[in-house]
Amino acid sequence: MSSLQQREAAGGPQRELAVGASAHRRSKAQLLRALWISKSGRAGLILVSLVVLGALVSVAGLSPHNPQAQSTSQVLKGPSLNHLLGTDQFGRDIFSLILEAMGVSLEIACIATLIAGVLGTLGGIAAGYLGGFASTVILRAADVIFAIPAILLALAIVAALGPGIMNSALAIGIGYIPIFVRVVRAPVLSLRSADFVGAARVLGFSRSRVLLHHILPNVYGVVAVQVSLALAWGILAEASLSFLGLGPPPPTASLGEMVYSATSLSGIAWWTLAGPSAAIVLAVLGFNLLGDGFRDATDPRTRRS
Amino acid sequence: MLVAIARRLLSTLITLFGVAVVIFVILRLLPGNAITASLGVSAGLLSHAQITQLDHFYGIGESPVSQFTSWLGATLTGNLGVSLSSQKPVAGMIAQALPVTLELGIMALAIGVLLGVFFGVAGALRPGHIGDLAGQALALVGLAVPSFVLGTALVTFMSSTFHYFPSSESYAGLFANTWLNLQQIFFPACVLGVGIAAAIMRTTRAAVLEINTQNFVRTARGKGVSERAVVWRHLLLNALVPIVTMSGIQLGYLLGGTVIIEEIFVLPGLGRMLVTAINNRDFPVVQSVTMLFAAGFVVINMLTDVFSAVIDPRSKDR
């Protein structure tokens, strides 16, 4: 941004270039404001902040109880002031367990999104900008991955690599790569023939410089939307995997596993199911709404004016 | 148009071949081999001669390429191998489980499309009205509540509050005990249906909103065509292509969803078979079922594309 501003100030042929490149770009403060104006963006920001805050509280060791501390006198107690969301069959505090599990969940979702986002965005830019054979190969590969239902792909990869945080993240991330490829490729195709990109090429900038400094900044909007949606999917997929017993092995807390063990208990202790279910729903909903908000804030067609 | 369909067919075949390669590679990463998978710890008791013999029997040690081609060749001729845990032919196991998953999938798709199209049209015709809000709420539930949470909650609620849980009885075939079978399939289908209704509703709502502003719709209303005919013949017929395409895409979600839902509702379908096989490291079964799911998804997406081209007269010019 700063280098662009300098060039803009310097004037000359680069001036036009910079204007083109920053047409869709706004400062972080402006983006946040646009996000806050959109109704779903605001709700998403609040929910996501709560979820992240909860996870941080647990990581910092500030949760109300030690999540793994078992207590025979506190088995399956309903919600109370001491145990906000009740206790489970081992007498552990469910609220503290949820906070810990949320941290694990976010960690897996973030790594998965990082994998999918980086590989998918690079693939999408390459497929859109280079065209020709490279594009065909990338799109074909994306089609192949997309053809295997994502949760099945994750199941098969976890089965092959064994359970664990990194393996879960990898299994979940790979399935989301094709979506990044597709959503990034479309705007890159139209940017390729944009005037400012042509100008950059005429000025003799290297291909990688054009791609990184002129094309990439203009797809941040769609990437931000997809990052939010990918995080939502990551949390959902992680919970599904651990629900099926393929999540990180115990004693790592996990939301899906908590829902699974609650299935046999919930008839007598509904809170064992309610807490973790609500946590999953709030997290998935939060990131989905945040994604909608980013779309409202960055897509000029849906932007409120 | 025939050329376009042929091209689509060819690309589908290439994609399927790629899927076969991916699944093959993933499952080669599984620790151990066919011997340790079928014999477990007792594989350590085998003599060297026995291991050599079994290696030969399972084709261990052959080059990956020749393993792949022999697997692909066998799969294409309907020989899906033998389950390592139950020693039954995989093809037979699939033949038994497939109808359950198909019935579940079709019923879920029907519920999802009905709910989605109904609320999508209702919402687009009167935005902000109670029907629209109900649809938006439904879409939110379908979007944010994972199917296993909804399924678990439904099972718990039905069995603890109403002492009604048809899945606790052993699975009844569609033709053996139709009434019990329908009760067993209906609830899981609802859970999956709500999940896909969300996306179909959004697509329908957006499509109908857009078509509703076009001149031919205004003309139809202006010349006195009944509202029912406008909705059915002008709006829905024109929104059919996006709805069909979205339904095809949602099928991928549906196929993945059956895996978890069948586990919760104890249905002996393909999804449950897959989870069991993964836990048992029974990779002939994992390989075949995953391949079948992917093939089903790819073929149905191709069919929806072809269907869209056929029902949309504009595509004939291209």
Side-chain angles (χ1 to χ4, degrees), chain A residues 260-283:
Chain A
Y260 179 76
S261 23
T263 46
S264 53
L265 295 168
S266 50
I268 47 168
W270 56 269
W271 55 89
T272 53
L273 180 62
S277 302
I280 297 173
V281 170
L282 289 184

Side-chain angles (χ1 to χ4, degrees), chain A residues 148 153 156-158 160-161, chain B residues 21-30:
Chain A
I148 308 173
L153 187 67
I157 295 177
V158 169
L161 300 178
Chain B
V21 174
V22 169
I23 292 173
F24 182 81
V25 169
I26 291 176
L27 293 176
R28 286 311 107 161
L29 298 174
L30 275 177

Side-chain angles (χ1 to χ4, degrees), chain A:
Chain A
M1 188 72 199
S2 57
S3 67
L4 274 173
Q5 275 169 339
Q6 279 161 15
R7 252 185 274 138
E8 206 169 344
Q14 279 120 330
R15 187 186 162 79
E16 238 182 82
L17 200 102
V19 169
S22 62
H24 297 290
R25 294 176 66 190
R26 288 182 287 169
S27 70
K28 277 180 200 139
Q30 273 173 317
L31 184 68
L32 267 181
R33 201 175 304 136
L35 206 56
W36 192 254
I37 289 172
S38 128
K39 218 188 278 172
S40 23
R42 194 184 311 174
L45 261 184
I46 294 173
L47 280 179
V48 167
S49 315
L50 282 181
V51 165
V52 173
L53 193 71
L56 288 179
V57 162
S58 172
V59 171
L62 297 173
S63 25
H65 294 268
N66 175 2
Q68 299 296 347
Q70 308 189 356
S71 157
T72 42
S73 62
Q74 296 292 322
V75 170
L76 291 179
K77 293 272 191 268
S80 64
L81 276 181
N82 189 21
H83 297 288
L84 283 177
L85 296 176
T87 61
D88 69 357
Q89 70 272 35
F90 303 113
R92 296 179 295 184
D93 180 46
I94 292 183
F95 182 63
S96 306
L97 266 176
I98 288 178
L99 293 187
E100 191 188 7
M102 193 56 89
V104 178
S105 209
L106 281 179
E107 184 186 347
I108 292 178
C110 285
I111 302 174
T113 305
L114 194 69
I115 295 171
V118 170
L119 292 180
T121 305
L122 289 179
I125 290 182
Y129 191 77
L130 302 178
F133 183 67
S135 162
T136 311
V137 170
I138 292 170
L139 290 178
R140 186 60 67 195
D143 272 358
V144 166
I145 299 178
F146 193 71
I148 308 173
I151 198 80
L152 290 192
L153 187 67
L155 277 175
I157 295 177
V158 169
L161 300 178
I165 289 183
M166 278 312 285
N167 291 350
S168 288
L170 187 67
I172 294 167
I174 288 179
Y176 211 85
I177 293 177
I179 299 182
F180 273 101
V181 171
R182 287 179 179 200
V183 297
V184 168
R185 176 178 167 264
V188 170
L189 268 182
S190 62
L191 283 171
R192 184 166 65 160
S193 51
D195 286 343
F196 71 92
V197 173
R201 244 177 311 194
V202 169
L203 283 172
F205 290 168
S206 70
R207 184 184 267 178
S208 59
R209 174 157 185 178
V210 173
L211 283 176
L212 291 180
H213 290 273
H214 301 272
I215 305 265
L216 187 63
N218 282 292
V219 296
Y220 282 154
V222 287
V223 171
V225 174
Q226 281 314 315
V227 163
S228 286
L229 298 183
L231 286 169
W233 151 249
I235 290 170
L236 203 156
E238 191 279 322
S240 308
L241 283 182
S242 52
F243 180 84
L244 291 173
L246 290 163
T252 311
S254 95
L255 294 170
E257 196 273 327
M258 289 173 79
V259 172
Y260 179 76
S261 23
T263 46
S264 53
L265 295 168
S266 50
I268 47 168
W270 56 269
W271 55 89
T272 53
L273 180 62
S277 302
I280 297 173
V281 170
L282 289 184
V284 174
L285 187 63
F287 281 109
N288 266 315
L289 289 175
L290 190 65
D292 284 353
F294 271 125
R295 190 176 288 145
D296 290 348
T298 54
D299 186 345
R301 277 171 305 174
T302 61
R303 196 185 297 159
R304 292 177 3 149
S305 49

